[in-house]
Amino acid sequence: MTETNIIEMTGVEKRFGTFTAVSDLSLSLREGEFFSLLGPSGCGKTTALRMIAGFQEPTDGRVTIDGQDMQGIAANKRPTNMVFQSYAIFPHLDVGDNVAYGLRNRGLKKAEIENRVSEALEMVELGGLQRRRANELSGGQRQRVALARALVMRPKVLLLDEPLSALDKKLREQMQFEMRRLQRNLGITFVMVTHDQYEAMTMSDRIGVMFDGKLVQVDSPETLYAKPCNREVASFIGEMNFLPAQVSARQENSLTVTTTCFENLKIETNPNVRQGYGDILVGIRPEQIEIAAKQPDGYDATFRGDVVNVAFYGENVHYHVRVEGLDRPVSASVPNYFHMVDFREGDSVWLGVQSASVIDLGENEPS
Amino acid sequence: MKLAFGLQTYAFFYLGFLYLPVLFLPLFSFNDGTIVAFPIKGWTLEWYRQLGSQDTLIQALVNSLLVGAVSAMLSTAMGLFAARAYVRYRFRGKRISEGLVMLPLVVPGIIVASSMLVLFISMGLKPSLTAVILGHTFLALPFAVAIMKSAFDDFDVSLEEAALDLGSTVLETFRRVTLPIVAPGIVSSLLVTFTVSFDEFVLAFFLSGNEPTLPVYIWSQIRFPAKLPNTLALGSLLLLASVLLLVIAEFFRRRSSKSLV
C-alpha cells in the first residue's frame, strides 16, 4: 500500500433545504485500501458516497480524486464506478451487454470489448454467461454482474452502496470473502457504504463511523473495537457493558478507576478519547468477562452477581448477570466449548475481568 | 352465501344493462333486412361487403387513422416527459399541474369542443383535421400521462444513474436505458390514445369542418334509414377494432410493469 491519497474530502457539507445530511466531512482515502463508511440509516453515509460518485454536489467543501478537483465534474466524467444497492442491472440487456455498456461509451474496438467483458465475467465467476437474460439471474448473480460491469471500466475507485444488503445470510458471507479477494487482487480502492458492522469489520482495512451527518472515528476494525472514541461508537460496533467510574488518580498513560464492580483498578488511557478531569465511563466487552461458580483466580478484578437471563446462540452463550448497585445487568459471553450451559437463571456467580479489558471511554456525558 | 347470490344477480343484470345494447350492434349488422327489429329475417354479409365500395367512408376512415396516429404520437410524447417529471421530481405547482393534466377527463366534451372552436377560429385556424388533431391530443393527454406514470413508477432510478456512472451522457442515457425500458408503456399509451381519438365524436364534429372523421361520418349516415345496416356493420367493425387495441394495450402495460422486478 502506497501513501498517496486517492480521494481527499475537505470540509464537505451537504444540505437539503434546512436538513444537513453531511456536515464538515474531511477524509483521506489511501490508494488501494478497502474503506467502509459505517453508520445507522440516515447518518449521511450514502450521501457522502454519492458526492464522490458525482450524483450529488457538495453544498460546501472540496472533493478531489487522484489529485483532481471534482467540482462541476459530472458522474459520467469521473474515474469512479458504482455498484448500486439495487444492482441496477439493465433489464432490457443480457449479461454481456450489461457489462459491455460502459466500454461501448468509450468507443473501444469490438474485439477488445468482448475480451474485456469475458475477462470481467471470469473474474466474478460468471464466465460464459454473456447471453443470459437479466431476469434469469439469481440475487447473487446480479450482484456479480453489477461488480463486473463496474470493474470492467478499471475505475480508480470502486464505490459500493450497501452491496450485500439484498442477499441472504449465507450468500452474504461468501460474497464478503470474494469481494475482499477481488479487491486484494486488483489493488483498486474500494469505498463501501454499509450499516452492518460485521460486514464492515470483516472486509475493510479502515472504517469510518458516521452518526448524524458527522464522521466520528476513522480507524482499523481492530482499533475501533478495542479503542472506540465514545459511547456511541462503542455500542454501535459489537456489544459493550458500560460502567460509570470515578477517577482516583491520573498518570501519564493510565488512570486509576473505581466502579460499582471493582476498586482502584489501573487501566490504560484511550488515545482516541478527549481526556478530561471528571468522572469517566468505562466499557467491557462481554466476551472478555469470565463467569465462574467460585471466585476465579488470576483476574485483576472479581465481583459477584446473580444470573437473570441466559441466551443460547449456538457458538456462544450470553449470561445477563445482575450486580448489586448497577441499573442494568452485566452481559458476559462464553464460547460453547462442551455443549453445556453452565449456569441457569437465579444462579449466584462470580465475574472476573483483566484491567486490559476495561476500556476508557472518556468523560461520562449523560446520554 | 345468500348475500353472495344476491350480489351475483345484481352484477349479472348490471353487466347485461351495460353490454347488451352494444351486442345488438353486431347482431343486427348480420340481419338480412333494413329494419332494426326482431325477429331477425336471415343472415347476410351483404352490409359488410357494401362498405368497401363507399368512397366517402374510405376517406373518413383515412382521416380518422391520420388524426388518431398523429394525436397518439403527440399525446404520448408529451405524456412521456410529463410522467417522468411527475414521478421523479418534486417541484412547485406539481399537484396543480397533475390535476390540470387530468382535467379533460371530467370537463364535458361539448364545452371543450365549443370553446376550442372559438379559440381556434380566433387564432385563424379554420375547422380542419389539424384542429381535430390538436383537440384529440388534449383529450388523450390524461390517458398518456396516466399510463406513462405507471411505467415510471416501477422504474428504478438507479438504472439511469448507473448509465451515467458508466459514462453515458444524459441524452444517451435516455435513449439507451430510459426509452427501451419504458417502451412497453409507450406502445400501450400509443394504442390507448389512438383508440380515444379514433372513437371520439363531439370534438371531431365541431372541429372537422368538411373533412369528417369516421364517427362524424357514421352520425351523418344514421339519418338515412336505408343505410342503417351499413352503419351497423361499420360500427361493429369499429367496436371490434377498439376492443382489440385496448386488449393489446393492456398486455403491453402489464409487460412493462413485469419486466422490472
Side-chain angles (χ1 to χ4, degrees):
Chain A
M1 223 176 288
T2 50
E3 279 304 301
T4 44
N5 289 333
I6 188 82
I7 294 182
E8 286 282 1
M9 298 176 91
T10 336
V12 171
E13 181 147 322
K14 179 69 189 177
R15 291 188 294 269
F16 297 103
T18 56
F19 173 68
T20 305
V22 172
S23 66
D24 196 23
L25 174 71
S26 294
L27 180 62
S28 304
L29 300 188
R30 299 170 195 145
E31 190 159 4
E33 78 173 328
F34 197 130
F35 188 90
S36 290
L37 276 171
L38 174 67
S41 56
C43 72
K45 57 194 191 302
T46 297
T47 307
L49 191 77
R50 291 170 63 82
M51 284 193 283
I52 301 175
F55 295 125
Q56 241 127 37
E57 278 287 318
T59 318
D60 212 345
R62 252 159 58 103
V63 179
T64 61
I65 301 177
D66 206 17
Q68 211 190 339
D69 191 346
M70 284 293 130
Q71 178 159 28
I73 295 180
N76 52 13
K77 299 272 184 283
R78 293 193 182 193
T80 57
N81 284 106
M82 181 129 153
V83 172
F84 291 82
Q85 186 170 15
S86 64
Y87 307 146
I89 304 297
F90 302 129
H92 58 297
L93 302 177
D94 61 24
V95 168
D97 286 336
N98 259 286
V99 178
Y101 186 96
L103 297 178
R104 295 206 174 116
N105 278 331
R106 289 194 183 159
L108 298 181
K109 287 206 187 77
K110 223 181 155 188
E112 189 184 351
I113 291 179
E114 269 172 40
N115 281 339
R116 279 176 67 171
V117 167
S118 56
E119 204 180 295
L121 285 175
E122 294 290 343
M123 196 165 64
V124 296
E125 286 163 15
L126 288 179
L129 290 189
Q130 271 90 335
R131 297 282 79 88
R132 190 68 69 87
R133 289 184 52 88
N135 57 11
E136 294 166 354
L137 299 172
S138 67
Q141 287 173 323
R142 281 162 176 263
Q143 217 255 352
R144 288 160 198 263
V145 173
L147 263 174
R149 187 176 68 180
L151 287 174
V152 79
M153 304 294 284
R154 297 178 187 158
K156 289 191 172 133
V157 179
L158 183 76
L159 307 170
L160 304 118
D161 185 7
E162 303 265 3
L164 302 171
S165 62
L167 304 179
D168 58 54
K169 190 166 176 284
K170 274 265 169 335
L171 200 55
R172 197 158 61 216
E173 282 163 6
Q174 185 193 337
M175 285 309 293
Q176 284 175 13
F177 288 110
E178 270 187 52
M179 282 171 56
R180 181 76 191 145
R181 178 181 57 82
L182 265 178
Q183 192 269 336
R184 279 267 181 275
N185 292 346
L186 295 169
I188 293 176
T189 311
F190 276 35
V191 184
M192 178 173 81
V193 153
T194 179
H195 64 270
D196 184 325
Q197 40 145 333
Y198 296 108
E199 207 170 284
M201 288 208 281
T202 51
M203 297 165 85
S204 322
D205 295 309
R206 289 194 307 154
I207 300 174
V209 185
M210 284 183 80
F211 288 110
D212 296 326
K214 292 190 186 69
L215 189 64
V216 181
Q217 186 174 6
V218 180
D219 260 311
S220 69
E222 299 83 2
T223 311
L224 273 180
Y225 196 75
K227 303 266 180 253
C229 73
N230 63 22
R231 182 191 185 125
E232 255 181 327
V233 175
S235 60
F236 191 73
I237 294 167
E239 258 194 90
M240 184 75 93
N241 293 298
F242 296 103
L243 301 172
Q246 290 92 47
V247 182
S248 51
R250 288 176 195 276
Q251 295 86 26
E252 178 84 0
N253 289 317
S254 64
L255 301 165
T256 306
V257 295
T258 297
T259 71
T260 320
C261 303
F262 42 78
E263 277 176 19
N264 293 327
L265 187 68
K266 199 169 175 181
I267 65 168
E268 231 180 281
T269 50
N270 180 350
N272 292 326
V273 303
R274 204 153 31 92
Q275 294 300 327
Y277 302 98
D279 292 344
I280 63 165
L281 193 70
V282 296
I284 311 169
R285 296 287 182 192
E287 71 275 13
Q288 298 182 0
I289 299 181
E290 165 72 355
I291 181 165
K294 290 180 194 146
Q295 182 166 22
D297 287 337
Y299 283 87
D300 298 337
T302 55
F303 47 100
R304 298 191 58 114
D306 299 305
V307 176
V308 288
N309 188 28
V310 181
F312 181 69
Y313 282 86
E315 72 270 33
N316 50 41
V317 188
H318 279 223
Y319 296 102
H320 288 177
V321 181
R322 171 125 193 79
V323 176
E324 186 83 41
L326 284 180
D327 302 342
R328 310 178 83 202
V330 171
S331 169
S333 135
V334 179
N336 178 9
Y337 287 126
F338 304 112
H339 291 296
M340 280 195 327
V341 177
D342 298 320
F343 305 102
R344 296 283 168 200
E345 263 173 57
D347 287 357
S348 203
V349 292
W350 278 91
L351 300 174
V353 289
Q354 303 289 16
S355 79
S357 301
V358 181
I359 305 167
D360 161 27
L361 292 173
E363 271 186 87
N364 188 9
E365 294 151 28
S367 63
Chain B
M1 276 289 96
K2 190 121 197 167
L3 179 77
F5 178 74
L7 273 178
Q8 270 179 12
T9 323
Y10 170 74
F12 185 76
F13 277 106
Y14 182 82
L15 288 176
F17 179 75
L18 268 183
Y19 291 110
L20 220 52
V22 180
L23 290 179
F24 277 119
L25 197 71
L27 182 68
F28 283 108
S29 72
F30 295 110
N31 183 16
D32 190 7
T34 54
I35 298 161
V36 180
F38 286 110
I40 285 174
K41 284 184 179 159
W43 303 103
T44 178
L45 287 173
E46 176 63 15
W47 312 124
Y48 285 91
R49 202 184 54 74
Q50 282 179 7
L51 287 180
S53 56
Q54 294 177 15
D55 291 343
T56 46
L57 184 153
I58 300 296
Q59 187 53 51
L61 177 66
V62 170
N63 288 348
S64 265
L65 291 176
L66 182 74
V67 169
V70 177
S71 41
M73 284 190 275
L74 284 177
S75 56
T76 299
M78 289 193 275
L80 170 69
F81 295 118
R84 186 177 178 280
Y86 288 144
V87 175
R88 287 294 157 75
Y89 306 118
R90 270 191 278 170
F91 51 90
R92 194 190 289 270
K94 174 175 165 175
R95 288 183 57 179
I96 295 176
S97 154
E98 278 191 82
L100 282 176
V101 163
M102 290 296 152
L103 210 57
L105 288 178
V106 289
V107 177
I110 193 88
I111 292 180
V112 175
S114 44
S115 39
M116 275 200 170
L117 183 65
V118 173
L119 176 73
F120 287 161
I121 287 177
S122 72
M123 285 166 58
L125 177 64
K126 292 210 174 70
S128 59
L129 290 185
T130 313
V132 182
I133 286 172
L134 290 176
H136 280 182
T137 304
F138 170 76
L139 213 58
L141 192 59
F143 294 91
V145 170
I147 292 170
M148 294 316 299
K149 256 163 83 176
S150 86
F152 275 108
D153 270 338
D154 307 318
F155 191 120
D156 179 5
V157 189
S158 34
L159 289 169
E160 283 175 359
E161 286 178 348
L164 284 174
D165 188 60
L166 293 166
S168 285
T169 61
V170 175
L171 274 180
E172 275 166 10
T173 300
F174 186 74
R175 188 176 62 77
R176 286 177 63 192
V177 173
T178 315
L179 269 187
I181 292 174
V182 297
I186 292 175
V187 174
S188 165
S189 166
L190 282 174
L191 293 173
V192 169
T193 50
F194 177 84
T195 313
V196 168
S197 159
F198 200 69
D199 291 347
E200 203 281 334
F201 173 71
V202 181
L203 267 176
F205 181 70
F206 272 70
L207 299 175
S208 59
N210 51 12
E211 299 168 290
T213 61
L214 209 51
V216 176
Y217 172 81
I218 292 174
W219 180 83
S220 71
Q221 295 303 296
I222 281 177
R223 284 173 299 171
F224 310 112
K227 288 202 169 172
L228 191 56
N230 279 135
T231 315
L232 290 180
L234 183 58
S236 308
L237 288 180
L238 286 184
L239 184 66
L240 184 69
S242 303
V243 171
L244 266 178
L245 283 181
L246 291 180
V247 168
I248 298 172
E250 181 62 13
F251 169 77
F252 275 103
R253 199 187 63 77
R254 287 189 190 183
R255 224 184 70 172
S256 86
S257 46
K258 231 184 263 166
S259 65
L260 293 164
V261 190

